[in-house]
């Protein structure tokens, strides 16, 4: 699968209904048509980018190696701001300007409140299945010289959470509702947490509304921006869109945990940080690598936790 982040991956707290609201890249929430506009990125991804060194010359820009990536998206719900953070592990090979992710692990996500009445969201019960079912392996892009810096482009990829991945990676296919459980060869929502509830379980905590939200999610990301050609870490802008279908909530939880959220209209609030990993850092099995990524993220990329 060409898999988000949140992400989000993100909490994307949406009002109850059979059709999900859609958060578009410009930050506005619109009701979906037959093809959800947020799931159709604005520009097709090119296979090659021209830099100042020529059509396929990367110059001193080379992403080959192992990377910890921390992605951040800012949203607003009930007038309060929260940041959704997603963490990845990438092994990248690059030839000339063209690169490919030869191993891309999805290591989890969380939502952190930014204002006093906002919600925090714990999705850790889903992390093992996110790692199992989502991957960025095979994602392609370019990294080329751009003046004294480098320009990165990573092709658009889709992430599905809580539903049959092979079916719902197709953005033209509506996400399943509560009555559409996956059975046999029929796609639908799946119990990713193994808790007997549909989709993924998000533990929402705030002074306004708390409880567990059950949901399915689909989002896309596209990384594109100028990065420093020097140093062990850099930051790039991202394009992002998501849709979400609430499938229920825990007993006693208020409906407010399903309140709508919208993407910040300030593009500077949505970004990804890359940190090059040293020998011995984040090694072992996929589970061990992701555990190390979650431990190292604040040490190597404290800027991404904002």
């Amino acid at each position: 699968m060409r898999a988000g982040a949140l992400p989000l991956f993100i909490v994307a707290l949406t009002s109850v209904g059979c059709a999900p609201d859609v958060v578009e890249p410009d930050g506005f929430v619109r009701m979906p048509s037959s093809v959800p506009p947020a799931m159709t990125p604005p520009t097709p991804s090119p296979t090659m980018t021209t830099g100042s060194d020529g059509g396929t010359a990367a110059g001193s820009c080379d992403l080959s190696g192992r990377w910890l990536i921390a992605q951040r998206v800012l949203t607003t719900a009930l007038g309060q701001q929260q940041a959704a953070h997603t963490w990845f592990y990438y092994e990248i090979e690059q030839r000339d300007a063209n690169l490919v992710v030869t191993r891309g692990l999805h290591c989890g996500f969380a939502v952190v409140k930014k204002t006093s009445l906002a919600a925090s969201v714990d999705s850790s019960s889903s992390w093992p299945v996110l790692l199992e079912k989502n991957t960025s392996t095979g994602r392609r892009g370019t990294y080329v010289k751009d003046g004294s810096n480098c320009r990165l482009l990573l092709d658009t990829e889709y992430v599905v959470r809580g539903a049959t991945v092979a079916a719902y990676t197709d953005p033209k296919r509506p996400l399943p509702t509560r009555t559409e459980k996956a059975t046999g060869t029929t796609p639908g929502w799946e119990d990713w947490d193994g808790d007997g509830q549909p989709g993924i379980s998000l533990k929402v905590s705030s002074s306004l509304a708390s409880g567990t939200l059950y949901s399915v999610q689909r989002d896309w990301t596209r990384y594109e921006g100028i990065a420093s050609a020097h140093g062990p870490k850099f930051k790039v802008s991202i394009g992002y869109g998501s849709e979400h279908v609430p499938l229920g909530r825990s007993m006693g939880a208020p409906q407010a945990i399903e309140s709508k959220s919208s993407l910040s209209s300030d593009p500077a609030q949505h970004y990804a940080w890359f940190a090059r990993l040293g020998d011995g850092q984040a090694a072992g099995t996929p589970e061990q690598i992701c555990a190390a990524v979650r431990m190292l993220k604040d040490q190597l990329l404290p800027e991404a936790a904002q």
Side-chain angles (χ1 to χ4, degrees):
M1 182 193 74
R2 296 292 305 282
L6 31 145
L8 235 141
F9 65 112
I10 70 177
V11 61
L13 298 176
T14 311
S15 59
V16 176
C18 293
D21 286 350
V22 174
V23 182
E24 296 205 273
D26 59 9
F28 294 95
V29 178
R30 299 186 177 91
M31 293 301 293
S33 58
S34 57
V35 179
M39 303 311 296
T40 305
T43 306
S45 300
T47 56
M48 183 174 295
T49 298
T50 300
S52 60
D53 287 345
T56 60
S60 60
C61 300
D62 189 354
L63 278 189
S64 298
R66 302 163 59 250
W67 296 88
L68 187 160
I69 301 171
Q71 177 181 292
R72 188 257 205 188
V73 174
L74 186 69
T75 66
T76 300
L78 298 176
Q80 301 294 314
Q81 290 186 331
Q82 55 253 332
H85 299 273
T86 310
W87 317 294
F88 306 92
Y89 169 84
Y90 276 14
E91 293 177 12
I92 295 176
E93 290 183 0
Q94 182 169 340
R95 178 174 297 179
D96 295 324
N98 301 300
L99 62 87
V100 61
V101 179
T102 57
R103 192 181 194 188
L105 305 181
H106 290 226
C107 296
F109 73 93
V111 178
V112 179
K113 67 179 183 179
K114 302 303 293 180
T115 52
S116 60
L117 300 180
S120 295
V121 179
D122 177 2
S123 68
S124 58
S125 62
S126 299
W127 290 354
V129 187
L130 293 177
L131 174 59
E132 175 189 346
K133 292 182 178 289
N134 289 326
T135 179
S136 292
T137 301
R139 191 176 194 180
R140 294 183 177 274
T142 55
Y143 197 51
V144 297
K145 198 85 169 86
D146 193 315
S148 61
N149 295 304
C150 304
R151 177 176 292 276
L152 173 67
L153 184 149
L154 276 180
D155 290 352
T156 302
E157 80 176 4
Y158 293 86
V159 175
V160 173
R161 300 182 183 88
T164 308
V165 171
Y168 295 102
T169 303
D170 179 0
K172 297 178 183 178
R173 186 169 198 154
L175 289 174
T177 61
R178 179 63 188 246
T179 61
E180 298 176 285
K181 180 180 180 180
T183 56
T185 59
T186 302
W189 62 258
E190 301 169 345
D191 177 9
W192 278 25
D193 307 270
D195 59 1
Q197 300 296 339
I200 60 173
S201 296
L202 304 173
K203 296 180 181 179
V204 182
S205 178
S206 79
S207 58
L208 296 178
S210 295
T212 302
L213 176 66
Y214 314 123
S215 70
V216 293
Q217 303 173 346
R218 177 169 56 201
D219 57 59
W220 64 264
T221 58
R222 173 186 169 94
Y223 291 12
E224 184 171 15
I226 299 296
S228 172
H230 311 286
K233 60 184 178 181
F234 62 88
K235 174 185 177 183
V236 294
S237 300
I238 67 172
Y240 175 80
S242 75
E243 54 182 327
H244 163 93
V245 175
L247 302 177
R249 58 188 186 274
S250 57
M251 185 175 296
Q255 189 173 356
I257 70 171
E258 300 171 353
S259 298
K260 293 180 180 179
S261 72
S262 59
L263 200 64
S264 171
S265 59
D266 180 2
Q269 299 299 325
H270 319 305
Y271 50 78
W273 276 92
F274 285 60
R276 187 179 291 277
L277 291 164
D279 293 342
Q281 288 184 311
T285 67
E287 292 78 12
Q288 291 170 330
I289 290 173
C290 277
V293 163
R294 294 189 293 268
M295 180 182 67
L296 290 168
K297 60 182 175 60
D298 294 332
Q299 174 186 333
L300 299 181
L301 293 173
E303 306 91 338
Q306 301 303 313

